[in-house]
Amino acid sequence: GFPRTVEQAKMLDEMLTGTSDKVGLVLALEVPDEVLTERICGRWVHKASGRSYHAAFAKPKSLPDGAAPSVENMLDDETGEPLMQRADDTEEALTKRLEGYHAQTVPILEHYSGVEGVIKRVDANVPQEQVWGSIEKALELA
């Protein structure tokens, strides 16, 4: 999304002032960090085909129940070839991404907090249909 930093938000506000426009909606999709860690760090992909798997939610047949995912037991269901994790789907990379998010992006909510009704918070830690319903409602109210 954009803006990602308060500095970018201020520049956007300044640009919009020139056209007599302003930010009308900031949509904050909220998910606890530990849930994001489970969702993101569990993703594996078959590089050649793009088929995706998840160690908890869409396991390949090769992953035994209760086993920790590894390159040895995360194999594509169709080819038996090893799956891989993207470099930014590791816990180390995610920790850095979340630190940046909390330090640079979350303060945007404070920046716009003085503007009545602009910030809409959506609980994104619920089933997808509920998330979409909340987003649609926020957009209708904007």
Side-chain angles (χ1 to χ4, degrees):
F2 177 85
R4 290 185 184 257
T5 66
V6 172
E7 293 76 25
Q8 289 177 352
K10 289 177 180 178
M11 287 190 304
L12 176 62
D13 294 342
E14 192 174 312
M15 267 181 26
L16 292 174
T17 300
T19 61
S20 299
D21 287 316
K22 62 183 177 181
V23 171
L25 174 66
V26 174
L27 191 59
L29 302 176
E30 298 182 330
V31 179
D33 288 358
E34 58 273 7
V35 173
L36 290 174
T37 300
E38 179 185 27
R39 288 181 185 175
I40 292 171
C41 296
R43 298 189 297 201
W44 291 71
V45 66
H46 181 248
K47 190 173 182 178
S49 68
R51 281 185 291 277
S52 61
Y53 297 86
H54 193 280
F57 309 122
K59 299 187 321 183
K61 297 174 196 169
S62 58
L63 180 63
D65 288 339
S70 68
V71 294
E72 291 80 22
N73 63 19
M74 293 296 283
L75 307 174
D76 181 58
D77 286 347
E78 292 187 28
T79 65
E81 296 170 337
L83 302 176
M84 60 165 285
Q85 282 191 292
R86 293 180 2 188
D88 60 346
D89 284 352
T90 65
E91 197 155 351
E92 298 79 21
L94 180 60
T95 297
K96 289 179 186 173
R97 288 166 60 193
L98 287 173
E99 286 172 358
Y101 170 77
H102 289 292
Q104 297 183 336
T105 305
V106 170
I108 292 170
L109 298 175
E110 178 65 29
H111 175 74
Y112 288 112
S113 67
V115 184
E116 184 68 31
V118 168
I119 298 172
K120 304 291 185 207
R121 296 176 186 272
V122 171
D123 180 1
N125 192 28
V126 294
Q128 187 175 4
E129 299 77 28
Q130 286 179 257
V131 175
W132 280 116
S134 296
I135 291 171
E136 288 171 346
K137 183 177 177 182
L139 292 174
E140 290 169 5
L141 297 173

